[in-house]
Amino acid sequence: MPSPSVMTVKEAAESRRAIRKYLQEPVPEEDIRAILDQVRLAPSPNNFQPWRFVVVRDPALKKRLEPAAENQRQVISTHCLIVLYADMEDVLAHREETVHPGIQGAARERALAAIERAWGEKSVAVRQRFAHGISYIALGYLLLAAEAMGYRTSPMLGFDPEQFKAILELPPHVTLPAIVAIGRGDEPGYPHHRHSVDRITRFI
Ligand SMILES: Cc1cc2nc3c(=O)[nH]c(=O)nc-3n(C[C@H](O)[C@H](O)[C@H](O)COP(=O)(O)O)c2cc1C
């Protein structure tokens, strides 16, 4: 059984930090599944859920990815790397999946037609830009869910998406919002250094 979440969201947000050194322990697949089971509940416009994941555990494959991720030490030290990618073409090809089963008949047809009207004429690049941004919601969920399950993470943008796509045999149109090292941490990380609420907020 996966270990239960024992932290509140507040506790997970407060304790989470980027960890770049991991214990040499594999992460059980059931724990990754339990984390992604929470991530998949993230909200998205039209319920499109454009996020997709590749969970890389194969040591040979991970070794090939390391130079494409600037040989960052968290990639080298972790057993498990989660590649987050956005795929709006997959969303639109299976748009039926995104419409709530409670919406049936004429209302369902209208919902599907509205998706076609909104997205049918747009370029693949414009669709992807949208899906890419929305997928960061999933990244936030992932970092907090992993922390609450006792795992530490390191989100990264320091990688070459084209090399990752080639090595992982992903479709050419997809984009990669982030890769995430995950495992049992072997360093404390840095204390948070953040703006205050007042610095980033205006109450009116
Ligand atoms: C989308 C994203 C990409 C990041 N890319 C990298 C990276 O490539 N390498 C790295 O060492 N840290 C990376 N970071 C970690 C940030 O530097 C770190 O989250 C930030 O400095 C705040 O520190 P903390 O997470 O420990 O609180 C990334 C963070 C995010 C959210």
Side-chain angles (χ1 to χ4, degrees):
M1 281 292 290
S3 41
S5 291
V6 288
M7 288 185 192
T8 63
V9 172
K10 181 176 190 290
E11 288 166 340
E14 284 173 353
S15 70
R16 188 218 59 79
R17 50 210 55 187
I19 295 299
R20 300 178 176 87
K21 189 165 174 246
Y22 293 92
L23 296 174
Q24 292 304 298
E25 285 176 16
V27 183
E29 180 168 325
E30 61 183 2
D31 284 3
I32 298 288
R33 284 185 177 278
I35 291 165
L36 293 177
D37 202 34
Q38 297 168 64
V39 174
R40 75 188 176 85
L41 300 177
S44 54
N46 279 100
N47 201 25
F48 279 159
Q49 308 160 68
W51 38 75
R52 304 286 183 268
F53 306 91
V54 184
V55 180
V56 182
R57 295 156 305 167
D58 175 35
L61 193 54
K62 197 174 77 63
K63 194 100 203 116
R64 286 177 62 203
L65 292 170
E66 284 169 9
E70 302 172 359
N71 287 307
Q72 295 195 63
R73 72 187 171 107
Q74 57 268 44
V75 180
I76 292 169
S77 89
T78 188
H79 277 268
C80 185
L81 190 68
I82 301 179
V83 177
L84 165 64
Y85 70 97
D87 190 348
M88 193 60 184
E89 298 312 293
D90 189 35
V91 171
L92 294 175
H94 302 95
R95 63 190 72 174
E96 275 277 340
E97 294 175 347
T98 64
V99 182
H100 197 283
I103 302 173
Q104 286 297 332
R108 189 172 190 85
E109 291 312 313
R110 279 199 300 278
L112 290 166
I115 295 172
E116 177 57 32
R117 266 199 314 282
W119 294 98
E121 299 289 304
K122 290 197 164 65
S123 69
V124 171
V126 168
R127 292 168 175 174
Q128 265 311 123
R129 206 174 306 136
F130 165 82
H132 189 89
I134 298 301
S135 293
Y136 282 108
I137 302 171
L139 176 66
Y141 268 54
L142 184 115
L143 300 181
L144 288 181
E147 186 77 19
M149 296 236 347
Y151 289 101
R152 313 310 301 273
T153 52
S154 180
M156 282 167 274
L157 271 178
F159 65 95
D160 181 334
E162 294 309 317
Q163 283 188 54
F164 263 66
K165 281 159 61 173
I167 294 169
L168 298 175
E169 299 178 4
L170 294 173
H173 66 266
V174 305
T175 54
L176 281 61
I179 59 173
V180 182
I182 179 167
R184 300 284 182 202
D186 194 21
E187 64 172 13
Y190 296 100
H192 282 144
H193 169 63
R194 293 291 195 274
H195 291 312
S196 68
V197 171
D198 285 335
R199 170 71 179 83
I200 57 175
T201 313
R202 198 159 59 97
F203 291 91
I204 53 177

PDB file of all heavy atoms in Angstrom, residues 8-27:
ATOM      1  N   THR A   8      -0.873  18.494   5.731  1.00  0.00           N
ATOM      2  CA  THR A   8      -1.845  19.403   5.130  1.00  0.00           C
ATOM      3  C   THR A   8      -1.180  20.089   3.936  1.00  0.00           C
ATOM      4  O   THR A   8       0.056  20.053   3.791  1.00  0.00           O
ATOM      5  CB  THR A   8      -2.289  20.474   6.132  1.00  0.00           C
ATOM      6  OG1 THR A   8      -1.132  21.248   6.466  1.00  0.00           O
ATOM      7  CG2 THR A   8      -2.891  19.851   7.390  1.00  0.00           C
ATOM      8  N   VAL A   9      -1.988  20.738   3.104  1.00  0.00           N
ATOM      9  CA  VAL A   9      -1.420  21.485   1.970  1.00  0.00           C
ATOM     10  C   VAL A   9      -0.460  22.559   2.499  1.00  0.00           C
ATOM     11  O   VAL A   9       0.627  22.769   1.950  1.00  0.00           O
ATOM     12  CB  VAL A   9      -2.546  22.124   1.129  1.00  0.00           C
ATOM     13  CG1 VAL A   9      -1.978  23.058   0.075  1.00  0.00           C
ATOM     14  CG2 VAL A   9      -3.399  21.042   0.471  1.00  0.00           C
ATOM     15  N   LYS A  10      -0.861  23.203   3.593  1.00  0.00           N
ATOM     16  CA  LYS A  10      -0.004  24.254   4.188  1.00  0.00           C
ATOM     17  C   LYS A  10       1.353  23.663   4.591  1.00  0.00           C
ATOM     18  O   LYS A  10       2.411  24.216   4.286  1.00  0.00           O
ATOM     19  CB  LYS A  10      -0.722  24.847   5.407  1.00  0.00           C
ATOM     20  CG  LYS A  10       0.028  25.956   6.110  1.00  0.00           C
ATOM     21  CD  LYS A  10      -0.838  26.519   7.250  1.00  0.00           C
ATOM     22  CE  LYS A  10      -0.254  27.780   7.852  1.00  0.00           C
ATOM     23  NZ  LYS A  10       0.943  27.579   8.627  1.00  0.00           N
ATOM     24  N   GLU A  11       1.306  22.515   5.258  1.00  0.00           N
ATOM     25  CA  GLU A  11       2.560  21.892   5.701  1.00  0.00           C
ATOM     26  C   GLU A  11       3.421  21.481   4.511  1.00  0.00           C
ATOM     27  O   GLU A  11       4.646  21.663   4.521  1.00  0.00           O
ATOM     28  CB  GLU A  11       2.251  20.669   6.575  1.00  0.00           C
ATOM     29  CG  GLU A  11       1.717  21.033   7.947  1.00  0.00           C
ATOM     30  CD  GLU A  11       1.105  19.850   8.683  1.00  0.00           C
ATOM     31  OE1 GLU A  11       0.739  18.837   8.037  1.00  0.00           O
ATOM     32  OE2 GLU A  11       0.977  19.938   9.910  1.00  0.00           O
ATOM     33  N   ALA A  12       2.782  20.940   3.480  1.00  0.00           N
ATOM     34  CA  ALA A  12       3.552  20.508   2.302  1.00  0.00           C
ATOM     35  C   ALA A  12       4.175  21.724   1.608  1.00  0.00           C
ATOM     36  O   ALA A  12       5.340  21.679   1.196  1.00  0.00           O
ATOM     37  CB  ALA A  12       2.648  19.739   1.340  1.00  0.00           C
ATOM     38  N   ALA A  13       3.407  22.818   1.491  1.00  0.00           N
ATOM     39  CA  ALA A  13       3.943  24.025   0.835  1.00  0.00           C
ATOM     40  C   ALA A  13       5.093  24.603   1.635  1.00  0.00           C
ATOM     41  O   ALA A  13       6.081  25.098   1.072  1.00  0.00           O
ATOM     42  CB  ALA A  13       2.826  25.055   0.665  1.00  0.00           C
ATOM     43  N   GLU A  14       4.982  24.533   2.943  1.00  0.00           N
ATOM     44  CA  GLU A  14       6.040  25.106   3.782  1.00  0.00           C
ATOM     45  C   GLU A  14       7.300  24.241   3.790  1.00  0.00           C
ATOM     46  O   GLU A  14       8.409  24.763   3.851  1.00  0.00           O
ATOM     47  CB  GLU A  14       5.512  25.308   5.210  1.00  0.00           C
ATOM     48  CG  GLU A  14       4.588  26.522   5.308  1.00  0.00           C
ATOM     49  CD  GLU A  14       3.901  26.677   6.671  1.00  0.00           C
ATOM     50  OE1 GLU A  14       4.037  25.769   7.517  1.00  0.00           O
ATOM     51  OE2 GLU A  14       3.224  27.694   6.855  1.00  0.00           O
ATOM     52  N   SER A  15       7.148  22.950   3.722  1.00  0.00           N
ATOM     53  CA  SER A  15       8.347  22.094   3.813  1.00  0.00           C
ATOM     54  C   SER A  15       8.980  21.824   2.441  1.00  0.00           C
ATOM     55  O   SER A  15      10.153  21.502   2.353  1.00  0.00           O
ATOM     56  CB  SER A  15       8.015  20.769   4.510  1.00  0.00           C
ATOM     57  OG  SER A  15       7.210  19.963   3.692  1.00  0.00           O
ATOM     58  N   ARG A  16       8.195  21.985   1.355  1.00  0.00           N
ATOM     59  CA  ARG A  16       8.739  21.684   0.031  1.00  0.00           C
ATOM     60  C   ARG A  16       9.858  22.644  -0.354  1.00  0.00           C
ATOM     61  O   ARG A  16       9.765  23.832  -0.136  1.00  0.00           O
ATOM     62  CB  ARG A  16       7.624  21.774  -1.032  1.00  0.00           C
ATOM     63  CG  ARG A  16       8.090  21.275  -2.407  1.00  0.00           C
ATOM     64  CD  ARG A  16       7.536  22.102  -3.531  1.00  0.00           C
ATOM     65  NE  ARG A  16       7.926  23.482  -3.411  1.00  0.00           N
ATOM     66  CZ  ARG A  16       9.125  23.965  -3.762  1.00  0.00           C
ATOM     67  NH1 ARG A  16      10.056  23.182  -4.289  1.00  0.00           N
ATOM     68  NH2 ARG A  16       9.432  25.236  -3.581  1.00  0.00           N
ATOM     69  N   ARG A  17      10.906  22.124  -0.894  1.00  0.00           N
ATOM     70  CA  ARG A  17      11.948  22.944  -1.504  1.00  0.00           C
ATOM     71  C   ARG A  17      12.653  22.113  -2.559  1.00  0.00           C
ATOM     72  O   ARG A  17      12.486  20.893  -2.583  1.00  0.00           O
ATOM     73  CB  ARG A  17      12.926  23.493  -0.466  1.00  0.00           C
ATOM     74  CG  ARG A  17      13.495  22.501   0.489  1.00  0.00           C
ATOM     75  CD  ARG A  17      13.802  23.164   1.796  1.00  0.00           C
ATOM     76  NE  ARG A  17      12.600  23.819   2.298  1.00  0.00           N
ATOM     77  CZ  ARG A  17      12.521  24.610   3.356  1.00  0.00           C
ATOM     78  NH1 ARG A  17      13.571  24.886   4.045  1.00  0.00           N
ATOM     79  NH2 ARG A  17      11.389  25.119   3.751  1.00  0.00           N
ATOM     80  N   ALA A  18      13.389  22.774  -3.428  1.00  0.00           N
ATOM     81  CA  ALA A  18      14.082  22.038  -4.483  1.00  0.00           C
ATOM     82  C   ALA A  18      15.230  21.249  -3.858  1.00  0.00           C
ATOM     83  O   ALA A  18      16.102  21.827  -3.204  1.00  0.00           O
ATOM     84  CB  ALA A  18      14.589  23.009  -5.544  1.00  0.00           C
ATOM     85  N   ILE A  19      15.195  19.945  -4.057  1.00  0.00           N
ATOM     86  CA  ILE A  19      16.218  19.056  -3.504  1.00  0.00           C
ATOM     87  C   ILE A  19      17.024  18.477  -4.666  1.00  0.00           C
ATOM     88  O   ILE A  19      16.463  17.962  -5.632  1.00  0.00           O
ATOM     89  CB  ILE A  19      15.543  17.943  -2.661  1.00  0.00           C
ATOM     90  CG1 ILE A  19      14.860  18.559  -1.437  1.00  0.00           C
ATOM     91  CG2 ILE A  19      16.538  16.860  -2.260  1.00  0.00           C
ATOM     92  CD1 ILE A  19      15.769  19.297  -0.479  1.00  0.00           C
ATOM     93  N   ARG A  20      18.339  18.580  -4.546  1.00  0.00           N
ATOM     94  CA  ARG A  20      19.187  18.209  -5.688  1.00  0.00           C
ATOM     95  C   ARG A  20      20.078  17.007  -5.393  1.00  0.00           C
ATOM     96  O   ARG A  20      20.916  16.653  -6.207  1.00  0.00           O
ATOM     97  CB  ARG A  20      19.999  19.427  -6.121  1.00  0.00           C
ATOM     98  CG  ARG A  20      19.079  20.579  -6.544  1.00  0.00           C
ATOM     99  CD  ARG A  20      19.804  21.844  -6.947  1.00  0.00           C
ATOM    100  NE  ARG A  20      18.890  22.870  -7.431  1.00  0.00           N
ATOM    101  CZ  ARG A  20      18.249  23.756  -6.659  1.00  0.00           C
ATOM    102  NH1 ARG A  20      18.443  23.762  -5.346  1.00  0.00           N
ATOM    103  NH2 ARG A  20      17.424  24.642  -7.196  1.00  0.00           N
ATOM    104  N   LYS A  21      19.881  16.380  -4.225  1.00  0.00           N
ATOM    105  CA  LYS A  21      20.652  15.170  -3.875  1.00  0.00           C
ATOM    106  C   LYS A  21      19.701  14.171  -3.230  1.00  0.00           C
ATOM    107  O   LYS A  21      18.955  14.531  -2.305  1.00  0.00           O
ATOM    108  CB  LYS A  21      21.773  15.548  -2.900  1.00  0.00           C
ATOM    109  CG  LYS A  21      22.760  14.451  -2.630  1.00  0.00           C
ATOM    110  CD  LYS A  21      24.021  15.007  -1.963  1.00  0.00           C
ATOM    111  CE  LYS A  21      24.929  13.871  -1.569  1.00  0.00           C
ATOM    112  NZ  LYS A  21      25.069  13.759  -0.117  1.00  0.00           N
ATOM    113  N   TYR A  22      19.749  12.941  -3.747  1.00  0.00           N
ATOM    114  CA  TYR A  22      18.768  11.936  -3.315  1.00  0.00           C
ATOM    115  C   TYR A  22      19.459  10.693  -2.780  1.00  0.00           C
ATOM    116  O   TYR A  22      20.565  10.340  -3.202  1.00  0.00           O
ATOM    117  CB  TYR A  22      17.869  11.551  -4.499  1.00  0.00           C
ATOM    118  CG  TYR A  22      16.996  12.700  -4.937  1.00  0.00           C
ATOM    119  CD1 TYR A  22      17.416  13.573  -5.941  1.00  0.00           C
ATOM    120  CD2 TYR A  22      15.775  12.949  -4.319  1.00  0.00           C
ATOM    121  CE1 TYR A  22      16.640  14.657  -6.317  1.00  0.00           C
ATOM    122  CE2 TYR A  22      14.991  14.033  -4.692  1.00  0.00           C
ATOM    123  CZ  TYR A  22      15.422  14.877  -5.685  1.00  0.00           C
ATOM    124  OH  TYR A  22      14.659  15.951  -6.043  1.00  0.00           O
ATOM    125  N   LEU A  23      18.743  10.010  -1.859  1.00  0.00           N
ATOM    126  CA  LEU A  23      19.218   8.707  -1.383  1.00  0.00           C
ATOM    127  C   LEU A  23      19.129   7.709  -2.535  1.00  0.00           C
ATOM    128  O   LEU A  23      18.261   7.834  -3.403  1.00  0.00           O
ATOM    129  CB  LEU A  23      18.353   8.223  -0.211  1.00  0.00           C
ATOM    130  CG  LEU A  23      18.407   9.074   1.060  1.00  0.00           C
ATOM    131  CD1 LEU A  23      17.391   8.575   2.082  1.00  0.00           C
ATOM    132  CD2 LEU A  23      19.814   9.061   1.661  1.00  0.00           C
ATOM    133  N   GLN A  24      19.997   6.723  -2.503  1.00  0.00           N
ATOM    134  CA  GLN A  24      20.018   5.736  -3.595  1.00  0.00           C
ATOM    135  C   GLN A  24      18.933   4.683  -3.393  1.00  0.00           C
ATOM    136  O   GLN A  24      19.204   3.504  -3.212  1.00  0.00           O
ATOM    137  CB  GLN A  24      21.410   5.107  -3.689  1.00  0.00           C
ATOM    138  CG  GLN A  24      22.484   6.090  -4.155  1.00  0.00           C
ATOM    139  CD  GLN A  24      22.120   6.722  -5.494  1.00  0.00           C
ATOM    140  OE1 GLN A  24      21.993   6.034  -6.492  1.00  0.00           O
ATOM    141  NE2 GLN A  24      21.937   8.047  -5.527  1.00  0.00           N
ATOM    142  N   GLU A  25      17.714   5.136  -3.388  1.00  0.00           N
ATOM    143  CA  GLU A  25      16.563   4.235  -3.189  1.00  0.00           C
ATOM    144  C   GLU A  25      15.598   4.414  -4.343  1.00  0.00           C
ATOM    145  O   GLU A  25      15.213   5.543  -4.638  1.00  0.00           O
ATOM    146  CB  GLU A  25      15.765   4.648  -1.937  1.00  0.00           C
ATOM    147  CG  GLU A  25      16.354   4.316  -0.624  1.00  0.00           C
ATOM    148  CD  GLU A  25      15.471   4.881   0.513  1.00  0.00           C
ATOM    149  OE1 GLU A  25      14.295   5.239   0.264  1.00  0.00           O
ATOM    150  OE2 GLU A  25      15.996   4.975   1.619  1.00  0.00           O
ATOM    151  N   PRO A  26      15.169   3.308  -4.963  1.00  0.00           N
ATOM    152  CA  PRO A  26      14.141   3.455  -5.998  1.00  0.00           C
ATOM    153  C   PRO A  26      12.819   3.929  -5.384  1.00  0.00           C
ATOM    154  O   PRO A  26      12.550   3.672  -4.218  1.00  0.00           O
ATOM    155  CB  PRO A  26      13.979   2.042  -6.560  1.00  0.00           C
ATOM    156  CG  PRO A  26      15.049   1.212  -5.956  1.00  0.00           C
ATOM    157  CD  PRO A  26      15.581   1.924  -4.752  1.00  0.00           C
ATOM    158  N   VAL A  27      12.029   4.628  -6.191  1.00  0.00           N
ATOM    159  CA  VAL A  27      10.698   5.046  -5.740  1.00  0.00           C
ATOM    160  C   VAL A  27       9.702   3.992  -6.235  1.00  0.00           C
ATOM    161  O   VAL A  27       9.620   3.750  -7.439  1.00  0.00           O
ATOM    162  CB  VAL A  27      10.326   6.425  -6.327  1.00  0.00           C
ATOM    163  CG1 VAL A  27       8.983   6.889  -5.786  1.00  0.00           C
ATOM    164  CG2 VAL A  27      11.421   7.451  -6.031  1.00  0.00           C
TER     165      VAL A  27
END
